Amino acid sequence: MEATEARPLLILGARSFAREVADLVSDVPSLRLAGFVENTDRPLCSEPIDGLPVHWVDDIAGMAATHWCVCAFGSTRRIAFIRQAAAMGFRFASVIHPSARVSQRSIVADGSIVSSGVQIATQTRIGRHALVNRGALIGHDVVTGECISVGPGANIGGGCRIGSGCFIGMGATVIERLGIGAGAVVAAGAVVHRDVPPPPLVAGVPAVVVRHGVDGL
């Protein structure tokens, strides 16, 4: 059987997290990193990253027919950059590290990043442009919205509903069958034992609301 040619990929972002995603891409045979894209600080385009060009966002429209994108912004507010690329006609690839275990009965939507050591159990649906960081655990029958961020080592129990734009911090635990409202932030190390309405910041063990109206991170 003839090998499938690797898809050329542009990473939306040119800061430290973009470098981390680039390292993940280097382990994914179906993708070939072609460069980075910056949209707020044009001087960043003057220096390559690991020998690859950093393009200014207004200059990449001509690459839409041949290249895919993924957004390497840790903030859940990355949707603005994603919409810029989508308006140009870019398609979005998911970066799923080979050491991650994603059930064959689960779905990871386009544009998502699933880092090393992640476990995603059966019958789970991860929305578009999600970031699931290293070693995170996501249980069975979980459904998430778009542009969620799950920090390293976080543990989301089975049957949870996670709204779009949520941020689940490093090492946080969400007990099974709970709902986290759109835009909510769960602080690092928090233990969520009841539903979280949109969009507060919750923290502590057990987690309690410490601020209202945060709308993502």
Side-chain angles (χ1 to χ4, degrees):
M1 183 180 296
E2 191 171 317
T4 302
E5 186 175 356
R7 292 178 290 173
L9 182 74
L10 295 173
I11 290 178
L12 304 180
R15 292 171 174 78
S16 57
F17 185 58
R19 287 179 163 88
E20 181 173 343
V21 174
D23 186 61
L24 295 174
V25 171
S26 70
D27 290 336
V28 180
S30 62
L31 298 173
R32 174 179 61 81
L33 185 57
F36 302 82
V37 183
E38 174 59 25
N39 74 334
T40 60
D41 189 359
R42 191 157 194 161
L44 289 177
C45 301
S46 62
E47 294 291 336
I49 297 176
D50 297 333
L52 293 172
V54 180
H55 303 279
W56 182 242
V57 66
D58 294 336
D59 300 333
I60 64 170
M63 306 170 76
T66 55
H67 289 65
W68 279 256
C69 286
V70 71
C71 190
F73 269 28
S75 168
T76 55
R77 295 167 187 166
R78 53 188 171 270
I79 190 62
F81 203 172
I82 290 165
R83 285 172 176 163
Q84 279 185 284
M88 297 177 191
F90 278 96
R91 296 157 289 180
F92 292 89
S94 288
V95 177
I96 301 177
H97 193 266
S99 68
R101 199 272 173 177
V102 180
S103 169
Q104 294 182 13
R105 297 172 179 83
S106 291
I107 295 171
V108 175
D110 293 345
S112 294
I113 297 168
V114 178
S115 193
S116 56
V118 168
Q119 299 280 321
I120 298 177
T122 189
Q123 307 296 334
T124 283
R125 300 174 67 90
I126 305 297
R128 301 181 72 214
H129 309 297
L131 166 58
V132 186
N133 223 314
R134 58 190 184 278
L137 306 176
I138 300 180
H140 63 86
D141 297 288
V142 172
V143 177
T144 86
E146 298 186 349
C147 292
I148 69 160
S149 294
V150 181
N155 190 347
I156 298 174
C160 288
R161 298 292 183 267
I162 310 297
S164 293
C166 283
F167 186 95
I168 311 295
M170 179 184 294
T173 298
V174 181
I175 302 301
E176 64 272 7
R177 295 186 295 278
L178 294 183
I180 308 294
V185 174
V186 177
V191 176
V192 180
H193 69 297
R194 63 181 66 178
D195 291 345
V196 177
L201 165 64
V202 298
V205 182
V208 296
V209 174
V210 296
R211 190 186 309 162
H212 288 279
V214 292
D215 196 17
L217 191 67

